[in-house]
Amino acid sequence: MKLLYSPASPYAAKVRMAARQAGIDIQTVVTATGDNPPELLTNNPLGKIPTLLRDGEPPIYDSVAIMHYLDRLSGGMLYPKKDPKRTDAEVLEALCDGMMDSLLAIMNEKRSRPEDKVHQPWLDKQWDKVSRALDHLNGHLPKTGKKLHGGHFALAAVLSYLDLRFDDKNWRDGRPDLAQWPEAFLKRFPDYAELKASA
């Protein structure tokens, strides 16, 4: 299998961490979506990453679909088996993915428009979503118990993306419990330093 990805993508970071946790070997290929590479567009009409290519089988996208495929492939290593706990993990993942959506929307607004055309109310609205989610997470911090799951990897990915692209926002301020979470996660998953979103 081959994963088309970008090192900076939090969605791809989530998938790469999950694959490592599940012991699934995936070849990774850095892919610049802005160049419209044929291998990506042929396999994902949206031209988005991550996209998972499989020998003799249809490609899989987006990150949630890939996560659930890896979970099935690993015999259920990435999500809790009991329905209530699985739902909790899936909701945490959805929250973190939504934060990623808002952060990417901010980045795209800044990158696609001249500085004098950037719509600040739009940026503020997206950051408000992220800020509320961070406050919620600080007050409802997920436990890293016996088993890491998809929600943990999504949280680790979005926090690493905040560090990468939004260090001026000081997301740790006023959120002491959440601020300590990446260090606790790193102890449980030492490969975090290698696989988190990075430049």
Side-chain angles (χ1 to χ4, degrees):
M1 291 187 294
K2 181 162 64 172
L3 186 74
L4 307 182
Y5 86 107
S6 164
S9 166
Y11 307 100
K14 175 182 69 169
V15 167
R16 294 171 68 213
M17 286 188 278
R20 182 73 59 86
Q21 174 74 5
I24 298 172
D25 185 36
I26 296 178
Q27 177 190 357
T28 55
V29 178
V30 175
T31 304
T33 58
D35 296 339
N36 291 326
E39 185 175 38
L40 177 61
L41 298 184
T42 299
N43 289 287
N44 183 345
L46 299 174
K48 296 172 71 175
I49 53 170
T51 294
L52 183 66
L53 309 184
R54 303 178 293 165
D55 294 336
E57 296 184 80
I60 302 176
Y61 50 86
D62 62 2
S63 67
V64 174
I66 296 172
M67 292 287 286
H68 288 280
Y69 171 73
L70 295 177
D71 183 57
R72 292 190 297 274
L73 195 64
S74 68
M77 290 184 64
L78 296 176
Y79 294 91
K81 292 190 171 31
K82 293 183 179 179
D83 286 348
K85 289 187 176 181
R86 182 174 184 120
T87 298
D88 288 345
E90 290 173 345
V91 169
L92 174 60
E93 183 177 2
L95 177 64
C96 295
D97 283 0
M99 293 168 67
M100 295 178 202
D101 294 344
S102 290
L103 293 170
L104 267 292
I106 292 171
M107 294 301 299
N108 289 337
E109 174 74 8
K110 289 181 174 180
R111 288 173 171 168
S112 63
R113 296 179 186 268
E115 189 173 347
D116 62 330
K117 300 292 185 184
V118 169
H119 189 55
Q120 190 61 44
W122 169 254
L123 300 184
D124 293 342
K125 181 178 181 179
Q126 298 306 315
W127 182 254
D128 284 347
K129 294 178 185 180
V130 174
S131 184
R132 287 194 303 269
L134 289 169
D135 288 342
H136 172 82
L137 287 164
N138 186 66
H140 303 85
L141 204 60
K143 297 177 181 177
T144 51
K146 295 180 181 178
K147 182 179 176 184
L148 296 175
H149 56 61
H152 293 128
F153 295 115
L155 178 55
V158 73
L159 294 182
S160 70
Y161 189 73
L162 280 163
D163 285 339
L164 178 66
R165 296 285 191 240
F166 294 86
D167 59 339
D168 61 316
K169 293 289 191 179
N170 301 315
W171 66 264
R172 291 175 174 81
D173 288 355
R175 304 179 180 106
D177 294 338
L178 185 60
Q180 294 175 4
W181 191 86
E183 186 176 340
F185 177 76
L186 180 62
K187 291 177 181 176
R188 292 291 313 280
F189 187 76
D191 292 339
Y192 183 41
E194 173 193 348
L195 299 176
K196 64 184 180 180
S198 61

